[in-house]
Amino acid sequence: MITARDAGLVGCRRCARAWPAETPVCPTCGSALQSRDMGAMQRVWAWWVAGVMCFFPANLYPMLETRTLFVSQSDTIVGGAIELMHHGAYGIALVIFVASIVIPLGKFIAIAYLALRVRGDKPPAGHGAHKLYHLVEYIGRWSMIDVFVVAILASLVHLGSVASVQPGPASLAFALSVIFTMLSAQSFDSRLIWDRTDVQKGQAA
Amino acid sequence: MTQTPPNVRVEPARRSLWERASVVWLVPLMALLIALGVAWQTWSDRGPLITITFDEAQGVHARETELRYRDVTVGVVEDVGFSSDLQSVAVDIRLNKDIAPFVDDDAAFWVVSPQVTAQGVSGLDTVLSGVFIEGVWDRVPEGLIPAHRGLTDPPLLRPGQQGRVLTLRSLPGASLTEGTPVLYKGIAVGRVGKTELAPGETAAQSQIVIFSPYDQQLTTATRFWDTSGFSFSIGAGGVELDFSSIASLIAGGVAFETLASGGVPVRDNALFDVFGSESLARESLFSDNSRPGVNLTVIFEDNVSGLSIGSPVELGGVQIGEVISVSGILDPLRFRDQRVRLMVNIEIRPGQLGMGDLSASTDVMDFLDARVAEGLRARLATTSILTGGLKIELVTTDESDSALLDFSGDPFPILPSTDSDIADAAATAQGVLNRVNNLPVEELLQSAIRFLDGAAALTNDPELTAVPGEVRALLGDVRGVVGSEAVQALPAQLSALMLELQGATTDLRAVAADLQAAQAVDRLLAAVDATSAAATAVTDSVTGVPELIASLNTVAQSAADLPLTALVDQATSVVSAADGLLRAPGTQALPDQLGAALQDLQGVLADLRGVTTDLNDTQAVERLLAAVDAASVAATAVTDSVTGVPELIASLNGVAQSAADLPLTALVEQATGVVDAAEQLLRNSGTQELPGQLASALDEVRQVLADLRAGGTVDSLNATLGSARDAAAAIETAAQSLPDISARLNRVLSQATETLEGFEAGSELNRSARGALSEIERAARAVESLAKALERRPNSIILGR
């Protein structure tokens, strides 16, 4: 396998056309051509840090504030999942737990792993790294399911003083966390994975 | 081989860290800043933590249970734990920062939980929301005190509430129930707090609160009583069921009332008693039985029955205590004999001695000690003669054995006693009956019988029986004397006497009638008529002969020369003389002589009559009339001479001449003379003497009247008076014709005026005639005024005024 860089070419990331290496701007679509984005890793880490920072309040603050006639209840994500589990709704508790805790955490770990792997001297996972990257990018949008549920509930359950549901401060933090994670994943220049592979190959050769 | 460029090692220019830094780093940086900011703010806003220890913390949960002040959340429980010795529950509460300085020493905390009592449901909101901790504190920030002791119950008087906290002690028959209302005139004005057993006493006591403004009603004269339950009584007034409120019926309650004015306001935590009923409370106001009294022992030498527990102890008639025990005492050592004496323990209540609530028992002892030194002793006295009950009286005696309170007495100090004052009612009654029994009733009855016998004998005596008959005979004699003819004739004699008097009066009336018949007035009228005719004739003669002014002037001249004025003056003087006559002392004296209106009247009547008769006798009127007639004839002659011969001016001239020559002056002088003579007549002594003679005559009449009066009857006298009244009426009638005279005179004068007006105005004759006529008019007016005066006051003739 040969990379475009190895071939003296540079591929446009927008229209996917390959141009000679020194071509500054893609004649087809007009976007800037860059063989490797050297600042990408900084952005990845920056978004990643922001995402992680938002993840803490997202789990510490209540996600949902439910007020019925006399009782006002506010639940965090984990607390809600545990409560659902206490009520016997294991399935829903599992869905919430996976969608809100496992997946975001997995994304953080995956991105961090990829970023470290690209930079470090350890041998890459090769094709597996690419698959991991695509998985992270694909699954990222589904993490918003929590926020989606909260938004629907808050707009549906609005019975004045009898019962009302309002999003807690965690919902905003959670949404930000998901957005930052997605941006982090997008900022990742997946071509760097190849470079490491090359280095590995070269060293092997 | 493909031509490939040499594998150039691409080494990017080493850029500075700042240049290589991505803008994206700003995002986590900002997130970090925000997080730090939020964290700092949260930390800085966090209030202090206080720890409240409760005996129990039922329903208190960490991070859920709130601390409320005035129902506003000011803190949240952070932790619920135990004190180190597990004695109590320690509740950590995170306070709001701004409220913290107020939570100082006076802060109080308690757990509010739902309560359902007879008074109602409280803390209902805690049923759903869970309990909360309520805290109260005042409004003065004095710095945070971090550790507090929680209350089991809400405080009675919360900070900020106005009211007064009192301590109530239940007396037997009264009950105190926690949480029950305190009623004042049926209004719940406070409540009873926690009830507990009073320390060292057998009564329950509790704190109560009475809220403002009702605490103003509290004085030392305030009494509390138990209103719980109901009272049911059947008496003469019917069946009575009484309870104050449903709540107090179920759970009880305490009512109070300030029963008398003059109490002093109470302090906080003042102690009051709760009485079993309102009536007991009211009674207590006047007899404070609630306080322990002072106990004394009295030993009496006499051992008499009648004293019992509860018998009164009196000082100066006022009950100041009662007997609490009666027993005998045998103390050979002290009394040196084997007699059993009466030992009485008494209780004296300081309140009824008027020593106030605060006086200690030692004060009472000191008081009694001093009084005993002055001679105060106890003695037995009779309460009631009928029942024979006894009481103990404290009296001041003259004994100076210098006894003192014997404080060595056991168990109580011994009050010295003195001789008893026991009235043995039975003995007294028996003595009375004995006296009655010893009365000599038998002898008394014997004497009475003897006396009655004597009386009967006296009554039956024949002489005494004859007395009524003699009395009757005596009365018959008296009746005979009364019925004798001499006595019977007395009224007839009196009647005759009166008839005589009546005849005399009739004579008087006849005199008055004579006066009326004199017709003097009529003659005067005739004369005046003649004058009038003459004036008419003159009028006729002068009309149509104005040219004879000259001769008539002459006539007028002579007429003007006539001394008519003098005539009138003389007539006036005649009247004056008559008036003077009437005013003469003799006349004036008449009323005095007569002494009564009757005499005066008769005197004047007689006087008038005499005058009239005199006038008639002297014919002065006739002469005057004749003179007037002559004037009238002359006037008629003039009339004759002038009527019908207007053409004979010359003759008329002559007539006028002769008229001028007429001796009018002489006529007038003659008339004057007549008048003078009349005046003379009036002035002569004979006339003057008339009143005197009349007076003497009247004296005689008076004598007659006096005689009549002496033996007369009233009827005759009345008749006499009636006659006199008739005489007065006759005089009045005579006087009434005087206006006619004046009217006629008026007419004459009018005609004369007409006559004179016929003359040329301004002529001397006219003036003279007018002057003469004016004089006549004045004279007529004088007569008229006289007449009017007489008319107005007819008695002026009589009275001379």
Side-chain angles (χ1 to χ4, degrees):
Chain A
M1 190 177 69
I2 188 168
T3 63
R5 186 174 180 171
D6 292 339
L9 297 173
V10 58
C12 178
R13 296 189 76 184
R14 186 179 287 176
C15 60
R17 175 155 183 187
W19 296 94
E22 276 73 30
T23 314
V25 173
C26 175
T28 307
C29 66
S31 60
L33 294 177
Q34 202 174 9
S35 177
R36 297 290 183 270
D37 185 359
M38 299 312 292
M41 293 315 294
Q42 276 191 38
R43 289 201 295 277
V44 167
W45 284 116
W47 290 122
W48 188 84
V49 167
V52 169
M53 283 174 68
C54 285
F55 191 69
F56 286 103
N59 280 283
L60 292 176
Y61 282 105
M63 188 73 176
L64 205 62
E65 286 180 351
T66 313
R67 273 208 296 272
T68 58
L69 197 54
F70 303 107
V71 186
S72 170
Q73 193 175 8
S74 53
D75 286 316
T76 58
I77 294 168
V78 180
I82 291 170
E83 194 164 329
L84 281 171
M85 200 172 70
H86 280 312
H87 283 90
Y90 294 103
I92 300 173
L94 189 68
V95 167
I96 287 175
F97 185 73
V98 170
S100 305
I101 304 293
V102 177
I103 291 178
L105 279 177
K107 276 161 68 182
F108 289 132
I109 292 167
I111 291 170
Y113 169 75
L114 286 172
L116 288 173
R117 204 60 189 222
V118 163
R119 189 180 172 195
D121 299 332
K122 292 170 190 154
H127 203 58
H130 264 108
K131 282 183 177 173
L132 182 64
Y133 172 72
H134 283 298
L135 182 68
V136 166
E137 232 192 349
Y138 174 77
I139 214 166
R141 66 204 69 170
W142 291 101
S143 301
M144 280 301 222
I145 192 166
D146 262 23
V147 180
F148 186 65
V149 166
V150 167
I152 285 178
L153 275 179
S155 55
L156 281 182
V157 185
H158 228 57
L159 300 177
S161 61
V162 178
S164 69
V165 173
Q166 288 195 330
S171 55
L172 179 66
F174 191 82
L176 284 174
S177 175
V178 171
I179 289 167
F180 290 155
T181 313
M182 287 170 70
L183 286 172
S184 177
Q186 272 187 352
S187 304
F188 191 77
D189 194 349
S190 59
R191 291 175 298 191
L192 290 170
I193 299 173
W194 297 332
D195 290 347
R196 295 316 305 169
T197 312
D198 289 348
V199 169
Q200 200 176 24
K201 273 184 184 169
Q203 282 172 349
Chain B
M1 282 299 285
T2 53
Q3 210 171 6
T4 56
N7 202 357
V8 180
R9 189 83 184 167
V10 177
E11 288 289 335
R14 190 75 187 171
R15 291 182 292 180
S16 69
L17 183 66
W18 192 244
E19 281 171 330
R20 285 184 291 141
S22 169
V23 189
V24 183
W25 281 110
L26 286 175
V27 175
L29 205 62
M30 276 175 62
L32 189 67
L33 285 176
I34 287 169
L36 286 175
V38 168
W40 182 82
Q41 194 180 3
T42 307
W43 188 83
S44 65
D45 279 353
R46 199 170 66 152
L49 196 67
I50 59 169
T51 303
I52 305 170
T53 51
F54 290 100
D55 289 337
E56 289 178 15
Q58 186 187 12
V60 174
H61 298 295
R63 286 179 299 282
E64 276 185 17
T65 308
E66 295 168 337
L67 171 66
R68 293 191 187 174
Y69 172 70
R70 293 180 188 273
D71 262 355
V72 173
T73 303
V74 295
V76 176
V77 172
E78 285 212 336
D79 189 25
V80 180
F82 290 101
S83 63
S84 56
D85 54 357
L86 298 184
Q87 283 286 320
S88 54
V89 179
V91 177
D92 293 333
I93 294 175
R94 180 69 65 185
L95 273 184
N96 281 9
K97 198 179 177 184
D98 45 357
I99 209 75
F102 292 94
V103 185
D104 43 26
D105 264 342
D106 57 8
F109 301 91
W110 68 95
V111 177
V112 177
S113 53
Q115 275 187 328
V116 181
T117 61
Q119 283 77 49
V121 180
S122 67
L124 190 63
D125 46 349
T126 62
V127 173
L128 294 167
S129 65
V131 302
F132 58 87
I133 296 171
E134 176 131 35
V136 289
W137 41 81
D138 61 16
R139 290 168 292 176
V140 183
E142 288 168 358
L144 177 74
I145 304 289
H148 288 275
R149 175 82 198 162
L151 305 173
T152 315
D153 303 288
L156 281 173
L157 192 63
R158 304 179 183 185
Q161 277 182 320
Q162 298 292 315
R164 198 167 287 280
V165 175
L166 305 172
T167 304
L168 287 194
R169 184 176 58 182
S170 67
L171 292 177
S175 67
L176 284 168
T177 312
E178 183 179 351
T180 53
V182 178
L183 305 171
Y184 175 68
K185 295 187 186 301
I187 311 166
V189 298
R191 67 188 175 89
V192 179
K194 196 169 185 61
T195 305
E196 57 200 3
L197 210 57
E201 291 192 44
T202 54
Q205 82 174 25
S206 66
Q207 301 255 307
I208 68 160
V209 64
I210 291 165
F211 296 115
S212 183
Y214 301 99
D215 59 340
Q216 305 297 320
Q217 308 294 331
L218 295 169
T219 67
T220 49
T222 302
R223 291 293 180 271
F224 290 83
W225 65 87
D226 186 9
T227 62
S228 61
F230 60 91
S231 70
F232 180 79
S233 61
I234 302 174
V239 181
E240 196 174 337
L241 175 64
D242 186 24
F243 58 89
S244 54
S245 73
I246 294 296
S248 65
L249 179 65
I250 296 168
V254 174
F256 74 91
E257 186 89 54
T258 298
L259 297 171
S261 58
V264 295
V266 297
R267 293 160 295 144
D268 262 338
N269 274 321
L271 180 65
F272 282 93
D273 290 319
V274 181
F275 294 89
S277 69
E278 183 175 357
S279 56
L280 284 175
R282 287 184 182 278
E283 283 166 16
S284 75
L285 189 67
F286 307 104
S287 60
D288 186 7
N289 296 325
S290 61
R291 297 182 53 245
V294 173
N295 290 319
L296 293 171
T297 301
V298 188
I299 295 173
F300 293 102
E301 298 291 328
D302 324 291
N303 199 351
V304 289
S305 63
L307 199 64
S308 60
I309 292 173
S311 295
V313 177
E314 293 186 352
L315 173 63
V318 178
Q319 183 178 353
I320 60 167
E322 61 183 23
V323 173
I324 55 175
S325 76
V326 179
S327 62
I329 183 172
L330 181 66
D331 194 346
L333 288 178
R334 192 193 297 178
F335 303 112
R336 295 183 198 86
D337 59 13
Q338 294 292 321
R339 276 182 59 200
V340 176
R341 289 173 168 77
L342 181 67
M343 187 177 84
V344 182
N345 290 323
I346 61 173
E347 182 186 43
I348 292 175
R349 297 192 201 97
Q352 284 169 335
L353 275 172
M355 297 192 68
D357 287 345
L358 301 173
S359 58
S361 61
T362 54
D363 293 339
V364 182
M365 281 298 180
D366 291 344
F367 166 76
L368 287 174
D369 203 18
R371 293 296 308 274
V372 168
E374 292 170 10
L376 187 76
R377 299 289 182 273
R379 73 176 183 192
L380 291 170
T382 311
T383 309
S384 163
I385 291 177
L386 295 177
T387 61
L390 293 181
K391 63 185 176 184
I392 293 177
E393 264 186 343
L394 300 186
V395 293
T396 304
T397 62
D398 298 331
E399 293 179 22
S400 52
D401 52 359
S402 67
L404 290 174
L405 272 182
D406 185 1
F407 287 100
S408 65
D410 184 43
F412 307 125
I414 297 173
L415 184 72
S417 62
T418 186
D419 295 336
S420 300
D421 177 28
I422 299 173
D424 194 341
T428 309
Q430 190 156 10
V432 170
L433 288 174
N434 279 337
R435 291 285 301 277
V436 171
N437 209 18
N438 294 334
L439 285 177
V441 179
E442 301 289 328
E443 288 85 343
L444 183 67
L445 285 174
Q446 291 294 339
S447 302
I449 290 167
R450 278 200 300 276
F451 170 73
L452 289 173
D453 285 347
L458 182 66
T459 314
N460 292 332
D461 186 40
E463 287 180 10
L464 198 62
T465 316
V467 167
E470 287 178 5
V471 170
R472 197 184 304 141
L474 187 64
L475 287 172
D477 289 349
V478 170
R479 196 187 299 147
V481 170
V482 173
S484 69
E485 284 183 6
V487 177
Q488 293 290 338
L490 279 174
Q493 287 172 347
L494 285 170
S495 187
L497 205 58
M498 285 316 296
L499 281 176
E500 287 173 17
L501 179 63
Q502 204 164 355
T505 314
T506 312
D507 289 349
L508 282 173
R509 201 186 301 159
V511 168
D514 280 353
L515 186 65
Q516 213 167 348
Q519 292 179 338
V521 174
D522 288 347
R523 291 188 192 180
L524 188 59
L525 289 180
V528 171
D529 282 344
T531 313
S532 175
T536 311
V538 170
T539 306
D540 292 343
S541 62
V542 296
T543 48
V545 282
E547 67 270 19
L548 295 180
I549 291 168
S551 28
L552 284 172
N553 259 351
T554 316
V555 174
Q557 196 67 46
S558 46
D561 292 337
L562 286 174
L564 278 174
T565 309
L567 176 63
V568 172
D569 284 344
Q570 281 174 348
T572 306
S573 64
V574 169
V575 174
S576 297
D579 193 23
L581 178 63
L582 289 171
R583 290 171 188 265
T587 316
Q588 293 291 342
L590 280 176
D592 296 331
Q593 292 172 345
L594 209 51
L598 172 66
Q599 288 166 338
D600 194 4
L601 174 67
Q602 282 172 350
V604 176
L605 282 175
D607 199 359
L608 280 175
R609 185 181 169 206
V611 172
T612 314
T613 314
D614 267 355
L615 286 172
N616 280 343
D617 289 344
T618 53
Q619 293 175 335
V621 174
E622 275 87 348
R623 286 188 198 175
L624 180 61
L625 289 178
V628 173
D629 284 346
S632 180
V633 168
T636 311
V638 171
T639 308
D640 291 339
S641 60
V642 296
T643 50
V645 280
E647 72 274 12
L648 298 176
I649 296 168
S651 316
L652 284 170
N653 264 341
V655 171
Q657 202 69 42
S658 55
D661 293 336
L662 276 175
L664 278 174
T665 310
L667 171 68
V668 171
E669 278 170 0
Q670 213 172 347
T672 305
V674 169
V675 174
D676 281 344
E679 187 180 356
Q680 194 67 36
L681 177 67
L682 283 171
R683 286 174 191 270
N684 70 19
S685 59
T687 314
Q688 295 289 344
E689 282 165 11
L690 269 174
Q693 292 169 351
L694 280 166
S696 60
L698 283 168
D699 276 341
E700 289 173 8
V701 171
R702 190 180 57 197
Q703 196 65 38
V704 171
L705 284 171
D707 292 342
L708 284 172
R709 201 184 300 135
T713 62
V714 176
D715 286 341
S716 300
L717 187 61
N718 277 345
T720 308
L721 287 170
S723 301
R725 204 180 305 132
D726 288 345
I731 290 170
E732 195 178 346
T733 311
Q736 274 168 355
S737 56
L738 283 173
D740 283 345
I741 301 172
S742 71
R744 291 192 191 184
L745 276 172
N746 261 348
R747 206 154 54 236
V748 170
L749 286 171
S750 302
Q751 285 173 351
T753 306
E754 274 176 30
T755 307
L756 291 173
E757 275 172 358
F759 300 156
E760 285 294 326
S763 73
E764 192 66 23
L765 172 65
N766 196 3
R767 274 201 304 277
S768 304
R770 203 172 285 170
L773 285 169
S774 293
E775 291 293 334
I776 294 171
E777 193 174 352
R778 204 182 305 154
R781 279 199 190 129
V783 173
E784 191 183 18
S785 68
L786 174 63
K788 278 181 180 168
L790 284 172
E791 190 180 15
R792 198 160 56 241
R793 296 168 58 197
N795 60 342
S796 65
I797 288 179
I798 299 163
L799 297 172
R801 289 191 281 268

